[in-house]
Amino acid sequence: MSFDPDQPYRLSEQVAVRPEPFGALLYHFGTRKLSFLKDKTLLRIVESLGSQPSAWVAVLAAGVEEDSVEQYLTAIRVLCDSKMVSPADEVMAQT
């Protein structure tokens, strides 16, 4: 599966988020992987993914400057590859 920033995404239902002063820790109960979100903007984006029509819109809604959008989309792509974040339709099919 390839990441498409124009599609909706959600935090996986098997992921717990623990906010930290630096950003957050994400723990996936299925894969037992731990991910670090190293800034609070990325945490806001990840938490808002399920309520936005696309990953791209979630990044812009968080107030990310145009020259940094690609950096945040890359972070979401990495989270998607590690199954921390899933396409919204895939999450809905699991329920």
Side-chain angles (χ1 to χ4, degrees):
M1 159 187 52
S2 64
F3 175 76
D4 180 355
D6 293 321
Q7 296 299 313
Y9 289 84
R10 295 177 187 250
L11 192 63
S12 173
E13 291 180 358
Q14 293 185 320
V15 172
V17 178
R18 187 172 102 187
E20 295 287 343
F22 58 82
L25 295 172
L26 301 181
Y27 180 76
H28 193 293
F29 287 96
T31 63
R32 300 177 68 193
K33 288 185 180 180
L34 185 65
S35 291
F36 295 86
L37 302 185
K38 296 180 182 176
D39 80 46
K40 292 181 181 188
T41 300
L42 183 55
L43 174 58
R44 282 196 313 274
I45 292 167
V46 168
E47 289 180 327
S48 74
L49 281 173
S51 64
Q52 298 294 344
S54 71
W56 187 79
V57 171
V59 171
L60 294 179
V64 172
E65 299 290 326
E66 262 188 68
D67 60 342
S68 298
V69 168
E70 196 58 41
Q71 168 189 342
Y72 285 95
L73 290 175
T74 298
I76 296 169
R77 179 180 296 116
V78 169
L79 291 170
C80 192
D81 289 346
S82 66
K83 300 191 181 354
M84 296 290 179
V85 169
S86 301
D89 59 350
E90 186 175 301
V91 172
M92 296 303 253
Q94 294 175 3
T95 58

